[in-house]
């Protein structure tokens, strides 16, 4: 059972669950949102956010410097720490969104979580606080070490903190008894240093947030077209005549995409949203930097068609569209003959697929599938984009492969305005993987890396996220280090994750603000506070910049502009170098030089990483560069030398009788595990997070009425059940058999065994659950 304070909004039998955000006043409610996305709603929200930051001059100045690539020639402009949507490359001056403002101002707070704060509060007490209140204490100010005798964190010097890490790692019988996690906020330079330290230490135990978000995309794309990334860039989005967006909630998760959708609508492109929920972003928007539209309240369409498949019904839907293409003889025979392999096997698979079964599994009527198929046949330039709603399913890799199959049928890869376009989440999650945070690197990658760095990397496959949790549980991993993120809440099977972290000898968290992962720790624990991306980083007598890679493979510099909140903070790069030197005192790697001059890191990266040749010159010159995507040039780095069709069986995704399929989502006032409030503006929810969105006919069948208290029980592969209690049910426009609720609260329902056999990702978008009236107290 979870400890007191660890129930994460799940309630207890017979009592209502508690929300995860602040203790807001007023009654909870839900009403459909009928306004355009962004527009004045976002503008008013931004004004309130800036006012709350109590920085009337500094906050607007910081916002206006965000995502300003063209300032980089003068050493200015920093990259938003939020989503990975590409920055405008044509000089847009207001290239930011509501969520980006939240990110920056959340870090600009004047509040401080300092030694005096920790002296006042025990870990046991803090564990009873909700997660909003933990982060809302302000910026961490100095290194802290956990004292089990007092159950409090106490100050420690940087030198002693590094020594504690080095001593613990060197004392392990095997380097494989440590695991090193990172989120997508770490820069390319930091990522390269991190993996270099870990591999020189002797392990590939490098789990990362990709293991929980887009691992399936990378595996599918690599197998199909020879690259783990999408081929599209913003120019393609500007020239596509059909955009198919699958499981993408742009208004909340990538709001700057709304500009691209509005421009596409203006030029007459079709925009099809495929999502169990009809999100506000699929309707219309007012782009805030379009002053004329704002002044006249002129909204632009952001969608021309909505399709609502059942949860996990996407593969069947895509195959139905492929069936339409074949029936109409609309395949690109020349492209298929010249550039693809395994077409005949795939063609037979599609032709043998029964329409009745495709409709049953997708939950989409045949006439609607045929309508989408007709749009695709008529298109000359189609982009298919997708997000986590597809990747966190059991058959995720097969679904991504089906996207590629559909594009290959009509030669929609390798020309302007067409191709696959995965929408990454965190700002540098793609760069993390490019620069080496990968628990299963290829031999070719390791060989080039080792030749450039002078080390001998281990070749054994390392531990991913789920494997790491299991290894900590079993005592096989004794040291856990996390750079960025909030692993305890982001991971699945919350109670087991907590227990696993507490079973370690040492946990280390590199962070900007207090979060749950600092309180769910090993026998020893360190909190190492770092600079935010928006803050100036002076090392070696000069201002240092770091790079990120966005969702479309552009690499550019980012320079912080604000003064750090305290002189005791270190950059992530300096912290990594300090821990590395303490761990590897005899290392020939120039850790001290890397910590003082990031150009020297980039010099090594230019020799170690494909596509980073002349890294410093290219990134300091103007607005950066785009990493080459061979498949964009129709160069297929696969075993056959061609793009590969893939024939997979049609899975049965219809939940058993009496049960439902659950997908977790974020609210609008949330980014990953950071919760700004209990509101979800675009879904019309106020003052509550412990809710379940449910089809109204399903509610009637289950004997439920609006706002009834319910219990939710998941049924894991291992036969175990997990439950949350005292949630509220909301009737919503969602397919029958499909229900939706918020993460991280509902991560507790996803067992460690519920991970995809294809991608190893937790199935947080594909959980079989029962919903029942709440048990009597």
């Amino acid at each position: 059972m979870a400890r007191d304070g660890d129930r994460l909004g799940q309630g207890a039998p017979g009592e209502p669950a508690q929300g995860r955000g602040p203790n807001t006043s007023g009654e909870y409610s839900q009403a459909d949102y009928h306004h355009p996305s962004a527009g004045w709603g976002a503008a008013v929200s931004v004004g309130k956010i800036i006012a709350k930051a109590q920085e009337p001059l500094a906050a607007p100045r910081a916002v206006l410097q965000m995502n300003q690539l063209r300032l980089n020639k003068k050493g200015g402009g920093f990259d938003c720490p939020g989503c990975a949507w590409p920055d405008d490359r044509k000089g847009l001056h207001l290239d930011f969104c509501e969520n980006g403002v939240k990110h920056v101002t959340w870090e600009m707070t004047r509040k401080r979580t300092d030694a005096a704060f920790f002296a006042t509060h025990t870990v046991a007490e803090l564990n009873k606080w909700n997660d909003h209140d933990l982060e809302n204490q302000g910026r961490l100010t100095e290194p802290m070490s956990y004292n089990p005798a007092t159950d409090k964190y106490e100050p420690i010097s940087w030198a002693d903190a590094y020594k504690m890490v080095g001593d613990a790692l060197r004392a392990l019988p095997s380097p494989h008894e440590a695991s090193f996690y990172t989120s997508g906020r770490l820069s390319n330079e930091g990522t390269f240093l991190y993996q270099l330290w870990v591999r020189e230490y002797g392990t590939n135990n490098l789990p990362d947030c990709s293991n929980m978000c887009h691992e399936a995309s990378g595996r599918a794309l690599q197998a199909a077209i020879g690259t783990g990334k999408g081929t599209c860039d913003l120019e393609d989005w500007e020239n596509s005549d059909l955009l198919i967006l699958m499981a993408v909630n742009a208004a909340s998760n990538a709001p700057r995409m709304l500009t691209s959708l509005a421009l596409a609508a203006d030029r007459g492109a079709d925009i099809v949203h495929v999502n169990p929920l009809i999100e506000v972003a699929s309707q219309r928007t007012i782009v805030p930097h379009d002053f004329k539209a704002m002044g006249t309240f002129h909204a632009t369409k952001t969608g021309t068609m909505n399709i609502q498949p059942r949860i996990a019904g996407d593969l069947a839907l895509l195959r139905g569209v492929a069936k339409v293409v074949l029936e109409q003889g609309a395949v690109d025979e020349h492209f298929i003959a010249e550039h693809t392999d395994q077409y005949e096997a795939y063609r037979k698979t599609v032709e043998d697929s029964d329409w009745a079964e495709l409709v049953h599994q997708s939950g989409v009527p045949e006439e609607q599938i045929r309508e989408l198929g007709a749009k695709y046949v008529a298109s000359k330039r189609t982009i298919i984009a997708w997000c986590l709603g597809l990747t966190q399913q059991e058959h995720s890799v097969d679904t991504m492969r089906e996207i590629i199959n559909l594009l290959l049928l009509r030669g929609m890869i390798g020309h302007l305005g067409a191709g696959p376009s995965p929408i990454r989440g965190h700002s540098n999650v793609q760069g993390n993987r490019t620069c080496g945070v990968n628990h299963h690197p290829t031999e070719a990658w390791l060989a080039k890396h080792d030749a450039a760095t002078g080390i001998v990397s281990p070749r054994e496959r390392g531990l991913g996220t789920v494997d790491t949790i299991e290894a900590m549980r079993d005592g096989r991993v004794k040291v856990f280090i996390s750079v960025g993120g909030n692993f305890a809440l982001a991971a699945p099977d919350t109670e087991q994750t907590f227990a696993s972290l507490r079973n370690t000898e040492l946990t280390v968290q590199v962070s900007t603000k207090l979060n749950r992962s600092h309180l769910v720790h090993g026998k020893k624990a360190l909190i190492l506070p770092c600079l935010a991306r928006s803050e100036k980083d002076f090392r070696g007598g000069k201002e240092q910049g770091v790079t990120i890679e966005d969702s479309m493979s552009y690499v550019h510099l980012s320079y912080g502009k604000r003064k750090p909140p305290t002189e005791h903070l270190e950059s992530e790069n300096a912290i990594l170098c300090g821990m590395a030197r303490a761990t590897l005192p005899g290392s020939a790697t120039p850790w001290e030089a890397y910590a003082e001059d990031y150009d020297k890191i980039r010099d090594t990266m230019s020799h170690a990483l494909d596509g980073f040749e002349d890294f410093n010159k290219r990134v300091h010159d103007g607005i950066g560069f785009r990493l080459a995507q061979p498949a964009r040039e129709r160069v297929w780095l696969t075993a056959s030398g061609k793009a590969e069709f893939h024939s997979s069986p049609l899975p049965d995704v219809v939940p058993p009788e009496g049960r439902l399929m659950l997908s977790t989502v974020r609210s609008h006032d949330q980014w990953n595990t950071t919760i700004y409030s209990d509101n979800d503006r675009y879904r019309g929810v106020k003052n509550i997070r412990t809710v379940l969105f449910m089809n109204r006919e399903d509610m009637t069948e289950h004997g439920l009425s609006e706002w009834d208290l319910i219990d939710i029980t998941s049924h894991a592969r291992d036969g175990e059940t997990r439950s949350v209690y005292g949630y509220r049910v909301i009737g919503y426009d969602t397919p029958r058999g499909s229900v939706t609720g918020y993460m991280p609260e509902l991560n507790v329902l996803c067992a460690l065994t519920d991970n995809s056999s294809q991608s190893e990702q937790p199935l947080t978008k594909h959980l079989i659950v029962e919903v029942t009236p709440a048990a009597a107290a």
Side-chain angles (χ1 to χ4, degrees):
M1 295 295 293
R3 297 185 182 189
D4 186 27
D6 286 353
R7 289 188 306 193
L8 303 173
Q10 53 187 301
E15 67 178 37
Q18 299 299 311
R20 301 283 301 172
N23 297 318
T24 49
S25 60
E27 294 294 323
Y28 52 78
S29 63
Q30 189 276 330
D32 291 343
Y33 189 84
H34 297 294
H35 306 287
S37 57
W40 285 105
V44 170
S45 176
V46 164
K48 291 179 178 178
I49 293 164
I50 290 176
K52 188 175 180 180
Q54 298 182 334
E55 294 281 2
L57 297 178
R61 185 183 303 120
V63 167
L64 292 173
Q65 292 167 334
M66 187 163 57
N67 303 324
Q68 293 302 296
L69 294 180
R70 293 189 178 272
L71 293 177
N72 284 338
K73 284 186 177 181
K74 298 182 290 186
F78 65 92
D79 195 76
C80 176
C83 77
W85 188 255
D87 296 345
D88 178 79
R89 304 180 71 79
K90 300 176 182 178
L92 178 64
H93 292 294
L94 297 175
D95 192 19
F96 62 86
C97 70
E98 177 184 354
N99 279 352
V101 176
K102 290 174 186 174
H103 282 296
V104 173
T105 57
W106 191 241
E107 290 182 334
M108 287 174 62
T109 176
R110 297 185 179 187
K111 298 178 183 178
R112 300 290 179 258
T113 309
D114 54 15
F117 171 86
F118 285 110
T120 306
H121 304 287
T122 65
V123 167
E125 177 194 347
L126 292 173
N127 253 320
K128 297 179 181 178
W129 292 21
N130 66 49
D131 294 283
H132 173 276
D133 289 348
L134 291 175
E135 291 199 39
N136 198 38
Q137 297 312 301
R139 291 292 297 277
L140 295 163
T141 61
E142 59 189 300
M144 305 297 293
S145 174
Y146 177 69
N147 184 343
T150 61
D151 191 34
K152 293 180 178 180
Y153 276 99
E154 299 172 351
I156 185 174
S157 70
W158 279 107
D160 287 344
Y162 295 151
K163 184 177 185 300
M164 181 185 292
V165 174
D167 289 349
L169 291 174
R170 291 198 310 277
L172 294 176
S174 166
H176 303 309
E177 293 183 12
S179 194
F180 304 80
Y181 175 82
T182 183
S183 77
R185 62 157 284 157
L186 190 60
S187 67
N188 289 327
E189 293 78 11
T191 295
F192 186 78
L193 292 175
Y194 198 19
Q195 64 82 34
L196 177 57
W197 165 37
V198 171
R199 292 197 164 100
E200 186 172 355
Y201 174 60
T203 185
N204 283 315
N205 288 352
L206 284 159
D208 72 326
C209 54
S210 287
N211 301 150
M212 294 185 277
C213 58
H214 268 289
E215 185 77 32
S217 299
R219 294 190 184 191
L221 289 163
Q222 187 68 48
I225 60 176
T227 175
K229 306 174 185 181
T231 64
C232 296
D233 62 12
L234 283 180
E235 187 178 8
D236 291 310
W237 280 68
E238 292 165 0
N239 286 276
S240 176
D241 60 38
L242 173 60
L243 290 165
I244 301 175
L245 310 181
M246 304 190 70
V248 175
N249 179 14
S252 293
N253 298 340
R256 288 187 293 148
M257 184 198 297
L258 293 170
T259 299
S260 293
L261 298 184
L263 291 173
D266 281 343
R267 68 173 183 269
D270 259 323
I271 307 169
V272 179
H273 294 262
V274 179
N275 198 323
L277 303 180
I278 295 181
E279 303 283 15
V280 170
S282 70
Q283 306 298 302
R284 54 202 175 103
T285 190
I286 301 176
V287 178
H289 58 252
D290 185 338
F291 296 145
K292 181 178 179 181
M294 288 287 283
T296 60
F297 296 87
H298 175 70
T300 303
K301 282 187 176 182
T302 50
T304 56
M305 183 181 187
N306 276 287
I307 298 178
Q308 294 177 270
R310 69 168 76 249
I311 290 172
D314 309 277
L315 198 160
L317 169 66
L318 291 162
R319 186 155 297 171
V321 175
K323 196 171 180 70
V324 173
V325 173
L326 291 176
E327 288 176 354
Q328 296 192 13
V331 299
D332 187 332
E333 300 282 1
H334 176 75
F335 175 87
I336 288 172
E338 184 173 350
H339 291 287
T340 72
D341 192 29
Q342 302 299 317
Y343 168 66
E344 287 302 324
Y346 177 69
R347 180 185 60 78
K348 185 176 188 308
T349 296
V350 174
E351 289 178 344
D352 289 347
S353 298
D354 180 69
W355 269 113
E357 186 63 12
L358 293 173
V359 168
H360 180 57
Q361 293 298 332
S362 69
V364 179
E366 181 178 342
E367 57 270 24
Q368 199 172 39
I369 300 175
R370 288 188 176 277
E371 183 181 355
L372 176 57
K375 289 180 182 292
Y376 183 47
V377 168
S379 168
K380 292 180 172 59
R381 298 177 300 278
T382 296
I383 288 174
I384 303 181
W386 66 92
C387 205
L388 304 193
L390 295 195
T391 65
Q392 293 173 327
Q393 301 177 7
E394 164 56 30
H395 308 97
S396 52
V397 175
D398 282 348
T399 301
M400 309 299 108
R401 294 296 300 268
E402 199 71 15
I403 288 174
I404 304 302
N405 289 339
L406 192 57
L407 292 169
L408 293 177
L409 278 179
R410 304 204 61 242
M412 290 290 185
I413 300 181
H415 68 78
L416 183 66
S421 190
I423 307 302
R424 309 286 179 174
H426 219 153
S427 63
N428 199 39
V429 63
Q430 184 159 302
N432 283 180
R433 186 55 60 93
T434 299
C435 296
V437 171
N438 187 346
H439 66 287
H440 52 90
T442 65
E443 175 57 33
W445 193 96
L446 289 173
K448 183 166 185 174
H449 170 272
D450 290 2
T453 61
I455 73 167
V456 178
S457 296
R459 262 52 182 179
E460 302 95 329
R461 184 183 178 91
L463 300 177
T465 293
V466 172
D467 291 337
T468 290
I469 299 169
E470 292 174 338
M472 290 190 294
R473 176 196 65 195
D474 300 339
R476 292 180 284 114
V477 162
K478 298 180 176 64
V479 175
F480 178 79
I481 297 175
S482 176
V483 180
N486 186 354
F487 184 84
L489 286 193
D493 208 343
T494 309
E495 290 192 12
Q496 181 57 69
T497 294
F498 282 18
S500 295
L501 288 165
R502 287 172 171 142
N503 196 41
T504 60
E505 296 298 320
L506 172 67
T507 52
V508 181
Q509 303 287 336
V510 179
S511 312
T512 58
K513 301 183 82 172
L514 184 66
N515 65 46
R516 186 68 55 185
S517 292
H518 303 122
L519 310 177
V520 182
H521 54 70
K523 296 177 180 66
K524 296 180 179 179
L526 287 170
I527 299 173
L528 304 181
C530 64
L531 295 172
R533 192 178 292 171
S534 59
E535 291 162 354
K536 294 180 179 180
D537 182 2
F538 280 97
R539 307 282 306 183
K542 68 177 183 179
E543 184 180 0
Q544 302 287 341
V546 296
T547 64
I548 67 100
E549 178 190 353
D550 64 35
S551 189
M552 296 182 188
S553 301
Y554 283 102
V555 177
H556 58 264
L557 273 169
S558 173
Y559 288 95
K561 299 302 295 178
R562 283 181 50 78
K563 181 181 177 180
T566 169
E567 62 185 11
H568 301 297
L569 298 184
E570 292 280 13
S571 69
E572 290 166 324
N573 289 350
I575 293 170
L576 289 165
C577 288
M579 291 192 291
R581 177 56 75 195
T583 306
L584 306 164
S587 169
T589 300
W591 297 110
E592 292 81 4
Y594 285 160
E596 293 301 302
D597 187 350
Y598 302 168
D599 281 348
K600 292 182 178 179
I601 308 171
R602 288 187 281 269
D603 283 339
T604 302
M605 294 170 71
S606 70
H607 298 289
L609 304 174
D610 286 338
F612 284 80
E613 296 79 13
D614 295 321
F615 190 7
N616 271 311
K617 181 179 185 301
R618 294 162 70 200
V619 82
H620 281 292
D621 182 17
I623 58 175
F625 60 94
R626 188 169 194 251
L627 293 171
Q629 294 299 310
R632 184 181 176 85
E633 309 304 321
R634 296 187 172 178
V635 175
W636 318 104
L637 302 182
T638 61
S640 68
K642 294 188 174 184
E644 299 281 346
F645 279 98
H646 176 68
S647 301
S648 60
L650 193 66
D652 184 359
V653 298
V654 180
E657 186 70 26
R659 295 182 182 172
L660 304 163
M661 198 72 79
L662 168 70
S663 173
T664 63
V665 296
R666 295 189 303 211
S667 75
H668 182 64
D669 218 11
Q670 168 186 0
W671 184 259
N672 293 341
T673 57
T674 296
I675 297 165
Y676 302 110
S677 81
D678 281 348
N679 299 327
D680 187 356
R681 185 170 82 243
Y682 288 143
R683 298 190 184 101
V685 176
K686 292 184 179 180
N687 295 329
I688 190 169
R689 288 183 54 82
T690 50
V691 297
L692 189 74
F693 300 101
M694 191 172 182
N695 178 282
R696 290 180 175 84
E697 292 182 43
D698 285 338
M699 287 173 58
T700 299
E701 190 173 283
H702 284 71
L704 299 171
S705 299
E706 199 84 3
W707 297 108
D708 277 358
L709 285 171
I710 57 170
D711 299 336
I712 311 168
T713 299
S714 65
H715 293 261
R717 290 175 178 168
D718 59 11
E720 293 186 1
T721 60
R722 288 160 177 76
S723 297
V724 294
Y725 305 98
Y727 272 56
R728 298 281 180 178
V729 64
I730 294 175
Y732 209 75
D733 183 4
T734 183
R736 292 212 62 180
S738 298
V739 293
T740 302
Y742 297 125
M743 66 79 69
E745 289 87 347
L746 292 180
N747 287 5
V748 68
L749 297 177
C750 183
L752 289 183
T753 54
D754 283 343
N755 64 86
S756 171
S757 58
Q758 299 183 344
S759 69
E760 304 172 53
Q761 289 180 242
L763 303 181
T764 50
K765 302 289 191 291
H766 193 176
L767 294 173
I768 297 174
V769 299
E770 278 186 286
V771 175
T772 57

